[in-house]
Each structure stands twice: as structure tokens, then as C-alpha cells.
Amino acid sequence: MRLFTNFLIFILSATLNLKAQEPIEYFLPDDLEYNSQIPTPDQFFKQQLGEWHLTHDQVLYYMNAVVAASDRAILREYARTYENRPLVQLIFTSPENHKKLEELRKIHLKFSDPDEDLSYTDVPIVISLNYGVHGNESSATNSSLLTAYYLAAAKGPKIDNLLKNAIILVDPCLNPDGFSRHSTWANMHQSAVKMTSSDSRQYQEAWPGCRSNHYWFDLNRDYLPLVHPESQGRVAKFHEWKPNIYTDHHEMGPDNTFFFQPGVPTRNNPLSPTENFIYTKKIAEYHSRFLDRIGSLYFAEEQYDDYFVGKGSTYPDIHGCIGILFEQAGFRGRIRETANGVKKLSFGIKNQFTVTLSTLEAAMDLKDDLLKFQKNFYREAIEKAKNDPVKAYFFGDEHDMQKNALFVQLLTKHHIKVYKNEKEFSAEGKTFKPGSSYVVPVKQPQYTLIKSFFEEITTFTDSLFYDISTWTIPYAFNMPFIKSGSLKNAQFSGNPAEPEFPRGKIIGGKSNIAYLLRWEQHFAPDALYRIQNAGLITKAATKKFSFKVDNKKEVFPYGTILIPASGQNYDVDNVFRIISEIAETTGISFYGIEAGFTEEGIYLGSNSFIALQKPEVLMLAGRGVDGNDAGEIWHMFDQRFHIPVCITESYALGSTDLNKYNTVILPDGSYPELTKATAEKLKKWVENGGVLITVKEAALWAASNNIGRVKYKESAKQDSLIQANYAGRNKISGLNAIGGAIFNAEIDASHPLCFGYTNSKIAIFKRGTRVAEPLT
Ligand SMILES: [Zn+2]
């Protein structure tokens, strides 16, 4: 019995030890008193921080409780995720500052206005603290509760001075959907007894993992494209406040220590001023001092770069702000064995909170310098613009007003002023007409971002990249653009343009013959699917033709969609009604055609119009599939084109009835779960008319299973005489990699895959070194 009791006591204590992470005193500076009216996270949750992975709802409950109990904090929702989770920003400052917050914000914005002249004293600095853009990097968001507690509850002259002289913006969770996936995953794998093995399933997140958002997109690559609501809301908040310091808290592999910027000095973005690097390094001295104090190891100026401005720590750098990347070793569970011993989540939380404190202290010491730096940044931007041989960028696609509107919308979200171009002019074989083109003069406060948007950089100080090396945004839109050395060709009014999404119309009105729809329009697939869903017959032109429209010859290119007005299941009046409604809903313009014979090219009854089927789409997902690629495809169909896509696990394909689908998509991936029998089944389905779309590596899978053909170039042999030492081996592998670059490619515009592209040249963004050979 005694033995049994001892055993029981052992089990109980093991369980207690396991669950317990650390009491609140472990995390907090020990030289301060705290306001007892503010609940600590321990009191609020009746568990210690790190004991369980907090859910997003819990984080919000706590933040609301802090705000309710404190006169130093307010909370504002700024967006909703796809899964309808609120994204929130907390603002901490002194009660006196809160009373005139809007006034202080407006004063602060003058530091980024080159025409304003403000002194640096008696104006608060703005510090933005941002946690967990990657959902599974849990120590970041879990540490934000300590930030909130500290800022609301700490007492004494130091915190009073901070709150008087700073406005602190706290975004506790930048990716609530990914964070929710991860907290569920981490908690559902917690054992009652101690389990630290790195082999545990808790570290093997089910596909597609928890890093990304709802559409499996890496939100830390969305600060420029602003595709997703999380980033749109966040960048709007950035410009609402234009902070002086912007932190971005992450996690890296479990066997690391802690990283803070500056990163590799030779890999700074050249548009970011040298002073930025100097201040980042000055602030880094505070991180190192604070981390030394708690005995945590760290590194800097290695591995990570500050180059791609679409990341959270680099976007601020080209706005006169100091962006700082933090990377804590990620344990992804409550406790884990690592190269640095057994580590707890609480240890990661403590490090993240410690660098929050060091950032706040540095901000106080460098306040006047950082405000001055911000002011100078915008003044110098105007000076640089004056000396820049490029005076403006012109852009516009006369065939796609929807794309133009999307592009103008993106520029305005980044506070770049864009104007309607009111004078036709041609250069470099491109024509920019009034009504469909725009001009962006470079002489404006957002000069630096404009350069980053439009510039084509082809030489680099250091050609090794952690990430992509180029991102010329007009290429991503396939948008015709040029840079201009003078503004004499431009004519534009004083008011910046707003995005104008075209109203859909039927040019020529009701028809008894047919309607045409140009495929170049951005949302044309949305309109086509709606037409097909209404049960109308649709065809696509495989040859060009032209009509007179408004007495002018108009060429309809490959891929133009034909909807006959007669011979449908509806009479011509109802066909007109359906097309009119779809034009209005989608903003797509149609042409009502009154005769079947054309000016030039095929007639409307030609067999060169091929009949189209309504897409019934199946997309494979799961192990071996690139989640980012699959998510991008899903997002495009779902959000942009409103076409349903059935996503299925690749292992389930063997038992799927493929006759329900006419299109199967294999996103980039290796497909280890597709058996020979499944490949055979897919091959038969293709032979019977099914359309199989394979992306990147998936083409290799298809070719190796004799479905379609593809041949890849052999990898170049490495030079065996090259002199390299062990320490420099990363450099050699880096030299043979393509992190992400843009290539100028030729397309066959008559091929159905390229329908909608009017130019035979296209910019292709490429990662990786796999290159296909032309098939003979
Ligand atoms: Zn991260």
C-alpha cells in the first residue's frame, strides 16, 4: 500500500509539474509593482501562461478584460478574417493622451508630411507591436497578453514616462485563423505525462499546417499585394498612425536560440536609408542587454535579410520607420527536447516579452532621434524624387478596365497618389490613352514605395537571398507600364484618381443573333460561369475576327466568348435579361451583335468557335501538395471568380467518382499518395475527355505516369574545381538556387491556355531551378 501511495504521489506530482509552466513572476520585471485591479493572465484563465496554447477567443476575452479595467487602453476592431474572427488593435497611452488621441494622431502624421515643420519635443512617439503573423508561431501571440498586462498594470515613474511619451499600438494576433488551427492542434496532442520527443505528432501539423491564413496564404508576403483582409486592415492601420518602430514577432526552428534584427548587412534593401540600419543596430543593443539579463542566447546580422518590402519587418523600413524582425526558437508545443535542452513554451513567451520591453526602453531613449529620422526620411524622399531621372510611371490596359481599377485601388491603399492620364502618348511600343491610363508622378511622399513598386532591379550587392529578389508589381498584374523621364507628355488634373470599377453594359443593346464577351477582362471567368450556370450555350473563338462597333473596327481576339441569342432554352428576351443581369453583377461588358457575318475573320457560325462546358472542378490537396499553391488556386476560383471547387485529399482519389467532374487540378506537389492504380484511373478519365491541369512539379508526376508529356532540362553540373571551404558551403548552394525572380517569356496567344493575353510577351515569376524543354 505504501508503495502504491508513493507511486500515486509521483504520478500526481509528475502531472502537476507537467502542466505548470511558470508563475507570472517568472515573466515580469521584478522591480515593479502592479495595479491589482488588472487581472494577470494566470488569474484570468486559472492556468499559467504556456500551460495550454491559448485560443484566439481567449486572447480577445483577456484583452477586453484589460481594456475594461484600465484607463490606459482602448481596443478597436479593424477587420474580420475569412472565418469571421475579429482583428483588433489595442492602443495604450496615458489617460491624458487618450483624451486627445485624435489630435495627437494628426500631429504625429505631420512628421511624414514633407511640407510640415515640427519640433521633436513634447510629441509622443508611436510604437507598433505586432505578434504572430504565422499561425503556428505561438509564443508571439501568447506573449502579447504580458504586453497588455504590463502596459495596463505596471506602476511607477518609468511606466508613467513611457505612457506620457508614447502611443503604443498592440496587435495581439495578426493571423487569427491560422492561430486558431494551431492552438487546437497543439492542445489536442498534449499528454498528461511528460512527453518531449520531437517525434511527437504535435509537431507534425496536419496538412496544410497552421502557418498560413484561411486560403493557405503566407500573410507575411502580403504587405505589398494586399490580397487578404488581414493585410488590407493592417496596412490601413499602419498608414493611420505611421509608427516610428514596428515590431514583427515570429518563431523559427526549435533548435535555434533567438534572432533580432539587423539581419545580414549586405542584404538590406537599397531603398532603405543607412540610418535605418544604424538605428536598428542601436535598438539591438537594448535587446541584447535585456536578453543577457535573463540568460537567453541570441544572434543577429546572420541568416535573415531585410530586402523584400512585402514583409512585416521591411515594409516599415521604406516608410521612415524602423521595422524589427524577432525570431524565437519555436517549440510548437508545451514542452520539447531541442539542441539547447528541454524547452518550454513559457521560455519562448518570456523571450518575446523581454524584447518587447527592450524595444519600449529603446524607443524612450531614441524618441527624438526617431521622430527626426522620420521627418528627414520624407523630406529626403522629395529631394531624391527631384534628382531622379525618372519623373513618372505611366500604366494602363485599354482592354481591361477592371484590372486598371484593381491596380489603382492597390496604389491608393498604399497612399500612393495616382492620376488619370488625359493625353494620349506612345513609347516603347505601348500606347497610353485617355480613359484607360494613369500616371504616377514620383515626386510625392511615397516616393520610396513607388520606386519599390515599379523599379526593375537587375544587379545586387549580394546575390544570395533568403527570399525573393524582385517584385515589380505591374508585372504581377500583366499591366503595361513605362517609366518616363519627363512629365511633358502627361496631362492630369490636381485630384488623385479613385479606383473606378466599370459598370457592366451591353454595347449595341439587345440582340437577336449573339452576344460577345472579351476574355481579357479580369472578372470574365466569373461572368462566363454565371452564364453557364444559367444554362446558356457558350462558345470560345479559336481564331480572330472583327466587327464595326460605333463605326470603328474592333478586333475580337482568341478566346472571345460567344453566347448565341437564339437556339437557347430561353427566348431572346430572357437571354437579354440574363446577360443584362450578369453584366450588372460582374461589371463585365458584352457586345450585342446584329449580324452573323464579320468585317474580317471567321463568321459567328464558324466551327472555329468551340463549345464550352460548365467547369465541374476537383482539386487535389493533402500530403505532398504545396499548400500555398493550392490555396492560391482555391482563392482565385472562390473569391475572384465565384466558381465552386471541390477540394479532396489525394489519397481519396482512388474512390472518387471522376465522372462528376470535367476538370481536375493538381497543384504544385509530389503526390506520394497517388497509387499506380489511381494514376491509371486518371489517365482513362483524361482519355475520355477530362481536362487535367497540373502545376509545376505536378507535371512531373503526370509525365512519369504517362499522362501528358513533359521533359526537363538536366541540372548543370557543378564545377568540381571550384575552391570552397566548409564554412562557406551555404554560399555555394545559395548560388545555385532561385529564391524568386521575374523572367520575360514568350507565349502562344492562340493557345487556349493563353486566351485573354493580348501581348505575346509575358512576365513570369519563378522560384526553383526546374526548367522544361520545348517538346518536339
Ligand atoms: Zn514567422
Side-chain angles (χ1 to χ4, degrees), residues 133-134 137 211 220 249-251 327:
V133 73
H134 294 137
E137 300 175 358
R211 175 183 174 90
N220 198 32
H249 294 253
H250 288 251
E251 284 185 357
E327 296 273 357

Side-chain angles (χ1 to χ4, degrees), residues 308-342:
F308 173 44
V309 303
K311 292 199 287 194
S313 53
T314 315
Y315 185 82
D317 290 341
I318 54 162
H319 286 89
C321 169
I322 311 293
I324 305 173
L325 172 69
F326 294 120
E327 296 273 357
Q328 158 65 37
F331 310 129
R332 307 287 152 96
R334 182 191 285 160
I335 187 165
R336 180 172 184 165
E337 67 186 15
T338 75
N340 296 310
V342 172

Side-chain angles (χ1 to χ4, degrees), residues 33-308:
E33 291 202 5
Y34 293 89
N35 177 354
S36 61
Q37 299 297 308
I38 312 290
T40 67
D42 297 33
Q43 289 162 346
F44 191 78
F45 296 115
K46 299 185 174 58
Q47 68 187 30
Q48 295 183 351
L49 266 181
E51 195 172 318
W52 292 96
H53 281 66
L54 293 174
T55 65
H56 183 250
D57 303 325
Q58 285 177 312
V59 173
L60 288 190
Y61 288 146
Y62 181 74
M63 294 303 179
N64 279 305
V66 168
V67 169
S70 170
D71 57 359
R72 298 173 177 177
I74 59 168
L75 180 147
R76 289 173 178 168
E77 179 180 327
Y78 66 82
R80 289 270 166 148
T81 68
Y82 291 110
E83 294 174 22
N84 204 30
R85 292 191 175 86
L87 288 143
V88 301
Q89 180 184 68
L90 289 100
I91 303 178
F92 290 90
T93 191
S94 68
E96 293 71 36
N97 285 346
H98 267 300
K99 285 180 196 138
K100 48 179 181 179
L101 196 61
E102 184 56 15
E103 190 188 326
L104 290 172
R105 186 183 74 83
K106 285 183 176 153
I107 293 171
H108 180 76
L109 287 185
K110 292 183 179 178
F111 281 94
S112 43
D113 183 342
D115 296 330
E116 293 284 347
D117 195 10
L118 276 172
S119 69
Y120 319 109
T121 48
D122 298 329
V123 186
I125 190 170
V126 178
I127 308 157
S128 180
L129 306 171
N130 302 280
Y131 300 92
V133 73
H134 294 137
N136 55 3
E137 300 175 358
S138 32
S139 65
T141 290
N142 280 270
S143 81
S144 73
L145 287 85
L146 290 166
T147 304
Y149 176 70
Y150 172 81
L151 291 173
K155 294 207 270 191
K158 194 170 163 184
I159 189 87
D160 290 344
N161 183 49
L162 174 70
L163 294 170
K164 179 170 176 261
N165 289 296
I167 294 167
I168 301 151
L169 314 173
V170 177
D171 190 331
C173 186
L174 278 65
N175 176 9
D177 293 349
F179 182 77
S180 299
R181 286 205 298 278
H182 184 255
S183 51
T184 302
W185 182 263
N187 287 335
M188 71 187 249
H189 287 95
Q190 293 309 324
S191 300
V193 294
K194 191 172 173 180
M195 167 46 61
T196 62
S197 170
S198 264
D199 300 326
S200 164
R201 189 170 188 255
Q202 64 181 308
Y203 313 124
Q204 301 155 357
E205 293 158 32
W207 193 93
C210 310
R211 175 183 174 90
S212 53
N213 77 342
H214 177 79
Y215 285 101
W216 314 335
F217 197 93
D218 184 338
L219 288 177
N220 198 32
R221 304 294 182 274
D222 198 30
Y223 277 78
L224 273 193
L226 299 183
V227 172
H228 301 283
E230 296 93 337
S231 327
Q232 291 166 13
R234 184 163 310 132
V235 166
K237 281 283 150 197
F238 181 89
H239 288 289
E240 187 181 313
W241 281 99
K242 300 215 194 282
N244 301 92
I245 298 181
Y246 188 98
T247 65
D248 192 23
H249 294 253
H250 288 251
E251 284 185 357
M252 53 188 161
D255 297 328
N256 291 286
T257 56
F258 191 92
F259 168 84
F260 49 77
Q261 276 181 329
V264 182
T266 51
R267 279 185 251 159
N268 274 327
N269 191 301
L271 291 167
S272 171
T274 314
E275 292 93 320
N276 184 297
F277 186 82
I278 294 168
Y279 284 123
T280 308
K281 204 163 172 167
K282 270 192 182 171
I283 298 169
E285 288 167 18
Y286 290 79
H287 309 320
S288 89
R289 192 148 29 91
F290 275 60
L291 288 170
D292 281 345
R293 217 181 278 161
I294 61 166
S296 272
L297 289 173
Y298 48 82
F299 66 99
E301 302 193 49
E302 284 184 84
Q303 292 188 27
Y304 298 94
D305 65 43
D306 220 347
Y307 198 83
F308 173 44

